[in-house]
Amino acid sequence: MYHNEKEVGRSILSFLSSNSNTTGLKREDIHFTSKLASNTSYEAARRSIKQSVKQCGLGYIDLFLLHSPYGGKSQRLDCWRAVEDAIDDGEIKTGGISNFGVKHMEELLASKPRILPAVNQVEVHPFNTRAEITSFCHAHNILVEAYAPLARALRMKHPTIASLSQKYSVTPAQLMIRWSLQHGYVPLPKSVSKSRIEANGAIEGFEIQAEDMKTMDGLDEYLVTDWDPVDCD
């Protein structure tokens, strides 16, 4: 849906066959995710999935998400059925959802799908904890993928973040990523800077204490940094 599947797939294959691949990584060591742009119909979703597989050139897609709950109940359920069939046909390894609220997940589970969503990718960070959604996901074994885990740098200088970053001798970004991991989420930090990408991955050397986790949880102000379709019909 981001019109970059061909470029990303080509880059992955180029790397795997290059001298830069010093550890001998193979296709199965790479986790490639794509999405369905909109929920319209079963047929359109199946066509889109097949096109995504063809465009990326990787043989299959590791994780395929319904990008949002927009479209209505019937369309959501039809598109999930398309994901199930794509999994059966080997086009997708794992299916998931994105930006789904509790009512959308309840609706999907009530339909008794053959395959349950493995992931819900949604904006989550200390300033938008989405406790209701994340609790529901945990209760139903749906992994939370937290996009915008750094709140798009809008709260990096918040006094609490600054203070705790100093306490643990880490950057504000490292602190927020660690918060996400300790809640059991998979954070998806974004950067174009090599040094920041490396720093964002270097968060194993510390653990946020329980009382500080509660303090960070208390920063919730329902800060939405992009869009918020979790309550749509």
Side-chain angles (χ1 to χ4, degrees):
M1 64 164 283
Y2 296 113
H3 307 291
N4 63 354
E5 290 165 327
K6 180 183 291 186
E7 291 78 8
V8 173
R10 191 177 292 166
S11 296
I12 290 171
L13 294 175
S14 176
F15 167 76
L16 291 176
S17 63
S18 73
N19 292 331
S20 298
N21 184 11
T22 57
T23 57
L25 293 174
K26 300 178 181 179
R27 164 64 185 94
E28 55 266 30
D29 298 314
I30 305 296
H31 192 83
F32 180 82
T33 301
S34 195
K35 298 178 180 180
L36 180 70
S38 57
N39 303 316
T40 54
S41 69
Y42 171 88
E43 292 77 14
R46 287 298 282 120
R47 286 195 301 270
S48 180
I49 293 168
K50 290 179 182 295
Q51 180 66 13
S52 291
V53 174
K54 180 180 178 181
Q55 285 289 315
C56 75
L58 298 173
Y60 60 89
I61 292 172
D62 296 275
L63 174 63
F64 194 86
L65 306 174
L66 302 186
H67 182 48
S68 82
Y70 288 138
K73 177 180 179 179
S74 177
Q75 288 77 8
R76 285 191 290 269
L77 297 181
D78 284 348
C79 290
W80 183 254
R81 187 163 52 87
V83 170
E84 291 178 318
D85 288 349
I87 293 173
D88 289 342
D89 289 347
E91 298 163 353
I92 297 170
K93 294 292 185 182
T94 305
I97 52 183
S98 183
N99 299 297
F100 271 46
V102 170
K103 66 180 182 181
H104 305 122
M105 291 186 284
E106 288 177 334
E107 166 193 283
L108 178 55
L109 297 183
S111 73
K112 300 188 182 304
R114 292 186 293 108
I115 300 173
L116 298 174
V119 169
N120 186 14
Q121 187 184 102
V122 62
E123 178 176 355
V124 179
H125 46 74
F127 299 93
N128 191 351
T129 60
R130 296 198 190 274
E132 185 180 7
I133 290 175
T134 57
S135 294
F136 186 93
C137 288
H138 284 324
H140 293 85
N141 296 315
I142 299 172
L143 181 68
V144 174
E145 273 194 352
Y147 73 77
L150 309 181
R152 303 190 194 277
L154 294 175
R155 296 292 185 272
M156 291 295 194
K157 296 182 180 180
H158 187 281
T160 298
I161 298 298
S163 175
L164 290 176
S165 297
Q166 185 175 20
K167 175 180 177 178
Y168 292 101
S169 299
V170 296
T171 67
Q174 288 172 323
L175 181 77
M176 294 173 75
I177 292 169
R178 186 71 202 179
W179 173 88
S180 190
L181 287 172
Q182 287 184 214
H183 271 298
Y185 313 148
V186 176
L188 303 174
K190 178 180 174 182
S191 178
V192 297
S193 164
K194 180 180 178 180
S195 62
R196 286 179 179 172
I197 292 172
E198 291 175 343
N200 289 345
I203 41 78
E204 296 300 326
F206 76 104
E207 183 173 342
I208 303 171
Q209 296 172 0
E211 59 267 29
D212 293 334
M213 286 291 290
K214 290 181 180 179
T215 296
M216 292 180 70
D217 291 346
L219 296 175
D220 188 12
E221 59 180 89
Y222 206 84
L223 173 66
V224 176
T225 66
D226 191 357
W227 64 330
D228 194 29
V230 299
D231 288 322
C232 74
D233 292 331

